[in-house]
Amino acid sequence: MPRRNALAPARRPRSQTPLSRSRILETGVAVADRDGIDALSMRKLAMQLGVDPMSLYNHVRDKDDLLDGMVDLVIGEIEPVIDDSDWRSSLRRTILGARATLLRHPWAPRVIESRRDASPAAMAYYDAVLGILRQGGFSVEIAHHALHALGSRALGFSQDLFVDSGQEVPPPDVAAIAARQLAQTHPNLGEMAMAVSHAGGLGPCDDDTEFNFALDLILDGLERLRGSDGIGRRST
Amino acid sequence: MPRRNALAPARRPRSQTPLSRSRILETGVAVADRDGIDALSMRKLAMQLGVDPMSLYNHVRDKDDLLDGMVDLVIGEIEPVIDDSDWRSSLRRTILGARATLLRHPWAPRVIESRRDASPAAMAYYDAVLGILRQGGFSVEIAHHALHALGSRALGFSQDLFVDSGQEVPPPDVAAIAARQLAQTHPNLGEMAMAVSHAGGLGPCDDDTEFNFALDLILDGLERLRGSDGIGRRST
DNA sequence: ACCTGAACACCGTTCAAGT
DNA sequence: ACCTGAACACCGTTCAAGT
């Protein structure tokens, strides 16, 4: 908790410390962490800093530049794990570390996906990930494919479509009824809903479990391609 | 091209055909296809329909409801391929079909990711995908994991972080210089940039190639788990 | 050099009034 | 029942003026 006053209500119209790009970015991250990214407007950020909205534009080109900087700050928090003994555990621990970081900034995934170019911190991170793969014996080509195959998972998140997070877990009996009704129109979804929760009802999925399952699936697949040159893949 | 007048400039202040939810949704899709999703405002959509902005609210709860409906329309275009002989090719062809559909609506992935709940069409699609897996011999548990592991890929897209699409391809000599300069600060990225394009320079990645690589990697991994109950997975 | 006030051109949406 | 005009409460950003 380094930024002591970042979240305190702006009591004085003037700020005591002079405005700076990094102060703006840090406050932006703090506001987004607290209120969500939709609540982050240039005007509100300025108010938080005790400053006129237009003053921000002396340190930040526009809102996109602000978001670029915030993303860079967050990705910069990630610390790649380099453990020369084993590419697989190095990469796995690195990615789970990235995941832990991004979980502290729930708004980050969506903003990261909307960026056009990789920020300096993202470049450094990807360079480290590539380094782990090359060190582990992957060809340049396969390492490149691997990065694409991991996609956002390389940074520790997966855009879960139609997420049920934030939805409350219904009591088992209600869930069972819902699942049965669902099965009438969508038998396979209904069956799944029935089976997903141990109680036999429709419960929310465990994000961490699913993330780890998919990550291991991909890492296993990559291990099988290690040492090959990436040529001659089957296409069914 | 069924909607003859959907894109014609609104010549008359009144529309001849009465407003309806489906006419609004179809026009919304058409406008987003043509101008991008950022250009789609309630006001602009109303103008396109030759109608007062507020009239839309008689058929659509709010903008989120509009986007929900547009997503439902697009996902409804996808036709799952059911070929009982082989789960793998059924699923593969289904997903590549979804991909072809979404490529016609470049705005859709981002909007899909922002939806809270699965639309009716999405429910039907996922039910079909689950059906393919169950028919193919997967346990409910593994089929469920598979859906999560596929993530957005089940719908035919992968959110490529920091995409270089839309960027022009530099001439080989310029690319080579850029790659060499990149290598000074980021050796592994530089090496990759050097190797990616056949000409030895930094070129844009082939989205289709990468999508297929990752899809096959996942399908291969799933095939290996087929028939198991999903219990007893290793965690490194 | 940095900050600011007023202003511009947009948003989504409410609400009361029309037909 | 459906449509509308005016209005509200927001946006990001330009620009000329201040210090």
Side-chain angles (χ1 to χ4, degrees):
Chain A
M1 313 279 126
R3 298 178 296 284
R4 223 191 120 278
N5 270 325
L7 291 182
R11 275 159 309 195
R12 278 159 195 61
R14 305 285 137 138
S15 61
Q16 49 289 53
T17 31
L19 213 47
S20 70
R21 183 177 167 88
S22 67
R23 214 158 75 81
I24 291 174
L25 297 182
E26 281 165 15
T27 308
V29 169
V31 170
D33 287 349
R34 189 191 51 183
D35 300 335
I37 196 67
D38 289 331
L40 183 77
S41 68
M42 296 298 274
R43 291 165 131 98
K44 206 178 146 184
L45 178 55
M47 196 160 64
Q48 181 68 250
L49 285 158
V51 120
D52 191 277
M54 303 317 128
S55 303
L56 301 178
Y57 287 85
N58 290 306
H59 304 90
V60 135
R61 194 170 53 252
D62 52 19
K63 194 175 184 183
D64 259 327
D65 188 33
L66 169 72
L67 294 175
D68 281 340
M70 287 168 59
V71 162
D72 194 55
L73 220 55
V74 166
I75 295 183
E77 287 180 27
I78 306 171
E79 288 179 21
V81 177
I82 313 289
D83 171 0
D84 296 320
S85 66
D86 182 6
W87 76 269
R88 200 177 185 289
S89 81
S90 288
L91 184 52
R92 199 169 191 284
R93 286 165 62 200
T94 296
I95 288 177
L96 293 180
R99 180 168 177 76
T101 299
L102 290 212
L103 284 175
R104 292 199 300 274
H105 307 288
W107 51 272
R110 228 177 71 197
V111 178
I112 289 172
E113 286 184 2
S114 70
R115 296 304 89 198
R116 246 182 57 86
D117 302 309
S119 77
M123 299 273 278
Y125 179 75
Y126 280 119
D127 193 63
V129 169
L130 277 175
I132 293 172
L133 289 167
R134 294 288 285 132
Q135 193 93 352
F138 286 90
S139 70
V140 195
E141 287 77 13
I142 300 283
H144 174 241
H145 287 319
L147 228 47
H148 279 277
L150 284 166
S152 71
R153 255 182 258 274
L155 274 168
F157 68 94
S158 70
Q159 62 328 326
D160 264 308
L161 267 32
F162 315 118
V163 294
D164 42 11
S165 70
Q167 233 159 270
E168 28 231 88
V169 187
D173 51 341
V174 180
I177 293 172
R180 228 175 340 258
Q181 197 183 333
L182 183 61
Q184 295 186 358
T185 47
H186 300 101
N188 301 297
L189 280 178
E191 180 192 44
M192 188 177 78
M194 220 78 95
V196 157
S197 114
H198 301 117
L202 182 133
C205 307
D206 182 340
D207 287 347
D208 274 331
T209 304
E210 301 302 339
F211 187 89
N212 276 277
F213 176 91
L215 180 57
D216 283 332
L217 195 73
I218 293 171
L219 295 182
D220 286 349
L222 292 176
E223 172 62 34
R224 225 162 287 112
L225 295 175
R226 195 158 63 99
S228 88
D229 56 5
I231 300 177
R233 303 252 319 140
R234 147 220 26 64
S235 70
T236 305
Chain B
M1 315 276 124
R3 299 178 295 284
R4 224 190 118 278
N5 270 327
L7 292 182
R11 276 160 310 195
R12 276 159 195 62
R14 304 285 136 138
S15 61
Q16 49 289 56
T17 31
L19 212 48
S20 71
R21 183 176 167 88
S22 66
R23 213 158 77 80
I24 290 173
L25 298 182
E26 282 165 15
T27 307
V29 169
V31 169
D33 287 349
R34 189 189 52 182
D35 300 336
I37 196 68
D38 289 330
L40 183 77
S41 69
M42 296 298 276
R43 292 166 131 99
K44 207 180 144 183
L45 178 55
M47 196 160 62
Q48 182 68 250
L49 285 159
V51 121
D52 192 275
M54 303 317 129
S55 303
L56 301 177
Y57 288 86
N58 289 309
H59 304 89
V60 135
R61 194 171 52 254
D62 52 18
K63 194 174 184 183
D64 259 328
D65 188 33
L66 169 71
L67 294 176
D68 281 341
M70 287 168 58
V71 162
D72 193 56
L73 220 53
V74 166
I75 295 183
E77 288 180 27
I78 306 171
E79 288 179 22
V81 177
I82 313 290
D83 170 0
D84 295 321
S85 66
D86 182 6
W87 75 270
R88 201 177 183 288
S89 81
S90 288
L91 185 52
R92 199 168 191 284
R93 286 165 62 199
T94 295
I95 288 177
L96 293 181
R99 180 168 177 76
T101 299
L102 290 213
L103 284 175
R104 292 199 301 273
H105 308 287
W107 51 271
R110 230 177 68 198
V111 179
I112 289 172
E113 286 183 3
S114 71
R115 296 305 88 196
R116 246 183 57 88
D117 302 309
S119 77
M123 299 274 278
Y125 179 76
Y126 280 120
D127 193 64
V129 169
L130 277 175
I132 292 172
L133 290 167
R134 293 289 285 132
Q135 192 93 352
F138 287 89
S139 70
V140 195
E141 287 77 12
I142 300 283
H144 174 241
H145 287 319
L147 229 44
H148 279 277
L150 284 166
S152 72
R153 255 182 258 273
L155 275 169
F157 68 94
S158 70
Q159 64 326 328
D160 263 309
L161 267 32
F162 314 119
V163 293
D164 41 11
S165 71
Q167 232 158 270
E168 27 230 273
V169 187
D173 51 342
V174 181
I177 293 172
R180 213 149 23 229
Q181 196 184 334
L182 183 61
Q184 294 187 358
T185 47
H186 301 102
N188 302 297
L189 280 178
E191 181 191 43
M192 187 177 79
M194 218 79 94
V196 158
S197 115
H198 302 117
L202 182 134
C205 307
D206 181 341
D207 286 348
D208 274 330
T209 304
E210 300 303 338
F211 187 89
N212 276 277
F213 177 92
L215 180 57
D216 283 330
L217 195 73
I218 293 171
L219 294 182
D220 285 350
L222 291 176
E223 171 62 34
R224 225 162 288 113
L225 294 175
R226 194 157 65 99
S228 89
D229 57 4
I231 299 175
R233 302 253 319 140
R234 147 218 27 63
S235 69
T236 306

